[in-house]
Structures are given as C-alpha cells and as structure tokens.
Amino acid sequence: NNDNIVPVDLNALMWNMESTLSQWHTSSRKKKYYKRQAAKRITAMKEVLWDEEDVSFYDYNMTSNGLNREFTPATLYPFWLGAHHRLSKEQMGQVLAQTKHWLEAYPGILTTSVYNTSQQWDFPNGWPPLQYIALRAMLNVYDVTKDSSITDMIHALADRYLASAFCSWYETGGSVPGI
C-alpha cells in the first residue's frame, strides 16, 4: 500500500529543499517560485498530515482517506527540519508525548515501527538516522519549550543508542585492543 501513502517525512524533506532553494537561487523568479512551493507544501502538511487532537503529524493513507495514526519516528521530521506551522508553546510541549510514551514502554532505541514483522526496519530494530532525527527534533522542541523533561528524553535516547551500537559492534566481533 506504499503507493497510496502521503508520507510526512518526505513532505518535510521536500519543504526543506524548497525553502533552501528559495534562498540559494539568484534568479528572483526562481526564488519566488520555490518560496511559493514551500508555502503551499507547509499549508498542505497542516491541512492533510496534522492531527490537532494528537498534536502530531502522521502519514496520510489515500486508500482509507485518513491519517495513519500510529507513531513512528518519521512523525518527528517536521520538528527536525522546522517544517511545522506555527504552534503555541503549549502545543510544542505536547508534540513529544508519543515519543516519550515509546521511550518509556521499550528499553531500547526508537524503533521504526512498533510491529514485529521480522523485517530489518521493524520492531525491535531501529534505524540509526532516525535516532539522530529524533534527537535533533527533541532539541528543537526543547529550544522552544525549555522543558527539562525533554533533556531527560534526549539523554535516555542518546545513551540507549550508544549502548546499542556498542553492543552490536561487540557481538559481531568488534574488540578494543588491550581490554
């Protein structure tokens, strides 16, 4: 069903590229074009991918004509890249509620999905770039809210990621000379 999904992560990346191109181009016509494209995309993201009740972005499923209301770290892309509409400080304080829930529910890193399909990208596995994206998104939200509980989440995820990477490296034959 991937052909029928409007992904939040791809749209956030596209917004970022359009915004960047609007700044890079020397042609005023192209600057204006990309600025309009970025504005259209962020408006569409708000209208199609944003869930006011959950205070979260989700992928849109064109088959069911609705949001896939399931947490994945991909929902954090807009907060990593700044591709979110203006949110109040209170709303920004709520955008990490699901991230916090999954960090408390599972002792490891953020998994790409919560389903154990035996695929390499699903539970219990996590994708390293998503850990970075999640950490950067958390830092960006912290910069707005100054909520100390976010720094606890950042430290927990960073510690878990480093432990996971080290254990995987060690279990697959890695060694430290002299130890």
Side-chain angles (χ1 to χ4, degrees), residues 72-177:
T72 73
T75 64
L76 298 173
Y77 269 70
F79 301 100
W80 166 47
L81 296 169
H84 52 81
H85 53 290
R86 291 188 176 105
L87 297 175
S88 69
K89 188 174 179 179
E90 180 184 329
Q91 287 175 307
M92 286 294 279
Q94 295 172 15
V95 299
L96 298 175
Q98 292 185 69
T99 306
K100 183 177 182 179
H101 167 78
W102 289 110
L103 284 173
E104 289 173 349
Y106 297 103
I109 60 176
L110 290 174
T111 60
T112 308
S113 86
V114 295
Y115 301 106
N116 190 347
T117 64
S118 75
Q119 298 293 321
Q120 68 175 350
W121 50 81
D122 285 331
F123 186 86
N125 303 312
W127 192 47
L130 282 180
Q131 308 314 303
Y132 170 80
I133 290 163
L135 287 166
R136 293 302 310 178
M138 287 186 239
L139 284 167
N140 291 343
V141 172
Y142 173 79
D143 286 344
V144 172
T145 65
K146 303 301 185 206
D147 178 350
S148 64
S149 71
I150 295 172
T151 59
D152 295 340
M153 290 171 47
I154 291 166
H155 291 155
L157 181 56
D159 289 347
R160 292 175 188 188
Y161 177 68
L162 289 173
S164 176
F166 179 79
C167 290
S168 295
W169 168 78
Y170 187 78
E171 286 296 314
T172 57
S175 64
V176 177

